[in-house]
Amino acid sequence: MFDLASMAQGLDLLFSSPTAWVVAPVGIIIGLIFGAIPGLSVPIAMAVFLPLTLYMDFLESIIFLTAIFTGGSCGCSIPAILMNVPGTSAAVATCFDGYPMARQGQHNRALGVALASSTIGCAIGYFMLLGILEPLSGFVLKLGAPELFLVALTGILLIALVTEGNFWKAVLAGCVGILLSLIGMSSAGIERGTFGSIYLLDGIDPNAAIIGIFAASELFQLVKSDYIVRDEGKRHVSIREIIGGMLYVRKIPRTVFTGSVIGAGLGVVPGVGSSIANIVSYTFARNLSNDPQSYGKGNPNGVAAAESASSSSEGGSMVGLLALGLPSSAATAIMLSAFAMHNITGGPRFISDQKEIVYAIIAGNLLQAVMLVFIGLVFFRIAVYLVRVPVAWLLPPIIVCTVLGSYALSNSLNGPVTLVVFSALGVLMKRYNYSVVAAVIGLLLGLMMEGNLVRTWQLGGGSLWPIVERPISLTIIAIIIASGVGMYFFAKRRQTMNLPETPISAG
């Protein structure tokens, strides 16, 4: 499975390039900064700094871009924990327990747990990439439209797992999310839900919508507070507590490892990645917990599960880029541009002919995970001072950053308008106990479901039989059924223990 000679050549190539060790920490810092600012994201950072890679060798340019990827995956946990504002969809599940911990004065510990989990998840993701790259490259090619539709359907079924209260309200919220995702021009050239407006032809920007729907209601709540942390005695900044949070991860190896495996596995699937991996991992960890009712109320295990999956998905997303030459996310699409700029084509031939470069990239990213511990610790130490800033001073820059970030996402006023509209929608949904999380899942997966369902229909000549005719599709269906049966027995067990089935609030 491993070519030891190519590994040795890859390590020699990596350590003989001093520039790689200069651009890697710079890239991590850039990623942390862009990840920590709501509305900005890893793809934006990578796109901004992509022209610089023209002046680097191929290996150095990929190390630089993946360093931004690594830093950004970790940095987006900062606003999620301190302000309940997910910088990107990859940090949605981090809000569930991270922000309640911050409100309880455990902000230092929450950030430490996030940093350690993100670092370990990143490392495990690349270790898995090292082991599965060659065999998985052939398997991914077998995933067609029916399989991808079922993967998206599995994500929608998470609605039943992440909601407390009325199940049908959650289903309705998820359906609303799907319908909103379908606004705009269809692949057949038909306008849907635009009401004649040219501004809706490109659809709704999911990132601006997610920032609005999650951040708004909490900003309204913060208006009533003087500080993020109400208790003045807990408004302290402690490097010792951040390190304590990092060391806490040693007590929950199963949660972190499981989250990392889930993230790396889903990262391989185009269009899924960290956006869904963090929610799947969080849900899985909560369902296996002996204390599920503590999730959503400040359980550090929830932060660890979400962050480990979010960061490990980076390694999974690199499978398509390296093995097939196909990007599975916006970030890897930008990396593919760097491939083209250096006249390199990813795919099976790239892996077979230039194994030493592949191994050098993987080794470089494993070392980036070590760098992230130290750089992230310093960065988080500075960021945590936000709890000492009065809310009256904090809200204006937060609002400005989110509005400017949403504008940067669309390069037009569509982004800020989407932000405002979904802010109002988020307030209404929380007021009437509809699941915001379910709506977000529907919003993220709606287009993926539609596109693959249409392609499946075309493959079947006007029928959906391909879904039940292909072995991989049948395997996924079996997994869905097995998961449903498992959920049923989990619910029965919790009823026996007099525990609530779902600890996450509708918000």
Side-chain angles (χ1 to χ4, degrees):
M1 182 180 292
F2 300 117
D3 187 335
L4 296 180
S6 295
M7 277 189 178
Q9 291 175 9
L11 290 173
D12 182 62
L13 184 63
L14 180 64
F15 287 105
S16 64
S17 175
T19 308
W21 302 106
V22 175
V23 299
V26 172
I28 290 173
I29 294 171
I30 291 171
L32 284 167
I33 293 172
F34 273 72
I37 300 175
L40 299 184
S41 63
V42 172
I44 291 175
M46 293 172 72
V48 168
F49 290 95
L50 178 64
L52 293 180
T53 62
L54 278 170
Y55 305 98
M56 305 176 190
D57 292 337
F58 173 70
L59 177 60
E60 295 163 358
S61 66
I62 298 302
I63 293 291
F64 177 61
L65 292 176
T66 53
I68 294 176
F69 202 165
T70 299
S73 298
C74 180
C76 61
S77 65
I78 296 173
I81 291 171
L82 297 181
M83 295 174 282
N84 201 32
V85 179
T88 67
S89 56
V92 167
T94 306
C95 296
F96 297 161
D97 281 290
Y99 186 67
M101 288 182 71
R103 296 292 278 176
Q104 296 164 18
Q106 299 184 58
H107 44 277
N108 296 292
R109 188 186 185 203
L111 288 170
V113 171
L115 176 58
S117 302
S118 185
T119 300
I120 295 171
C122 178
I124 291 177
Y126 276 100
F127 271 121
M128 289 184 63
L129 172 64
L130 183 64
I132 67 176
L133 183 60
E134 292 191 48
L136 198 61
S137 60
F139 174 76
V140 172
L141 286 174
K142 297 178 181 178
L143 291 178
E147 289 80 13
L148 293 176
F149 169 75
L150 288 171
V151 168
L153 179 61
T154 304
I156 295 298
L157 291 178
L158 288 173
I159 293 171
L161 296 175
V162 299
T163 305
E164 180 181 298
N166 192 313
F167 171 80
W168 294 111
K169 278 190 173 183
V171 173
L172 179 60
C175 291
V176 169
I178 294 174
L179 289 174
L180 289 172
S181 73
L182 300 180
I183 289 176
M185 190 76 74
S186 73
S187 56
I190 300 172
E191 293 184 24
R192 302 176 300 192
T194 63
F195 300 100
S197 172
I198 61 172
Y199 301 106
L200 291 174
L201 289 177
D202 291 331
I204 293 173
D205 185 340
N207 292 301
I210 288 169
I211 294 170
I213 203 169
F214 268 101
S217 57
E218 197 52 50
L219 292 179
F220 278 107
Q221 293 293 328
L222 281 177
V223 170
K224 305 173 185 177
S225 306
D226 293 327
Y227 291 87
I228 292 177
V229 178
R230 295 187 179 91
D231 189 343
E232 185 176 355
K234 295 180 179 178
R235 247 180 262 143
H236 60 285
V237 176
S238 171
I239 193 72
R240 179 174 295 179
E241 288 189 14
I242 295 177
I243 295 174
M246 295 175 67
L247 295 177
Y248 172 79
V249 173
R250 296 182 304 172
K251 301 178 181 179
I252 51 171
R254 186 182 71 171
T255 299
V256 176
F257 180 76
T258 303
S260 300
V261 171
I262 290 172
L266 290 178
V268 176
V269 182
V272 179
S274 58
S275 298
I276 302 303
N278 69 108
I279 297 176
V280 174
S281 175
Y282 182 91
T283 303
F284 197 81
R286 188 199 64 212
N287 283 340
L288 293 180
S289 173
N290 293 324
D291 186 24
Q293 75 273 23
S294 65
Y295 280 73
K297 299 176 182 176
N299 189 329
N301 293 23
V303 177
E307 282 299 306
S308 59
S310 176
S311 293
S312 66
S313 65
E314 176 187 340
S317 68
M318 293 291 286
V319 170
L321 180 67
L322 297 175
L324 307 174
L326 300 173
S328 59
S329 65
T332 50
I334 294 171
M335 287 189 205
L336 189 62
S337 299
F339 271 62
M341 289 164 61
H342 290 84
N343 295 317
I344 301 289
T345 302
R349 179 61 67 114
F350 174 67
I351 292 177
S352 61
D353 293 350
Q354 303 192 55
K355 280 186 180 180
E356 67 280 1
I357 294 181
V358 174
Y359 285 129
I361 292 171
I362 295 174
N365 279 276
L366 289 172
L367 292 171
Q368 283 174 22
V370 178
M371 292 183 190
L372 180 61
V373 174
F374 301 100
I375 297 174
L377 190 59
V378 174
F379 191 86
F380 278 33
R381 174 70 172 77
I382 298 170
V384 81
Y385 274 99
L386 285 173
V387 298
R388 289 187 174 183
V389 180
V391 169
W393 297 0
L394 198 58
L395 283 183
I398 291 175
I399 294 171
V400 170
C401 284
T402 52
V403 172
L404 291 178
S406 63
Y407 179 83
L409 290 169
S410 61
N411 200 30
S412 71
L413 287 176
N414 285 9
V417 171
T418 301
L419 180 75
V420 172
V421 171
F422 276 82
S423 296
L425 179 62
V427 171
L428 290 173
M429 291 183 71
K430 288 193 174 184
R431 179 180 179 85
Y432 294 103
N433 201 32
Y434 284 86
S435 175
V436 169
V437 178
V440 167
I441 294 174
L443 191 64
L444 289 171
L445 292 181
L447 280 177
M448 179 181 176
M449 288 187 70
E450 183 213 19
N452 286 299
L453 185 63
V454 169
R455 282 188 283 275
T456 301
W457 182 272
Q458 292 170 340
L459 284 172
S463 75
L464 296 177
W465 281 113
I467 292 179
V468 294
E469 291 176 344
R470 296 161 66 102
I472 299 177
S473 296
L474 291 173
T475 302
I476 297 174
I477 291 172
I479 292 173
I480 292 173
I481 294 172
S483 300
V485 173
M487 288 163 51
Y488 173 78
F489 283 110
F490 270 121
K492 284 292 184 183
R493 187 186 68 146
R494 287 174 186 163
Q495 287 174 3
T496 303
M497 299 171 62
N498 293 320
L499 295 177
E501 291 187 21
T502 48
I504 303 176
S505 65

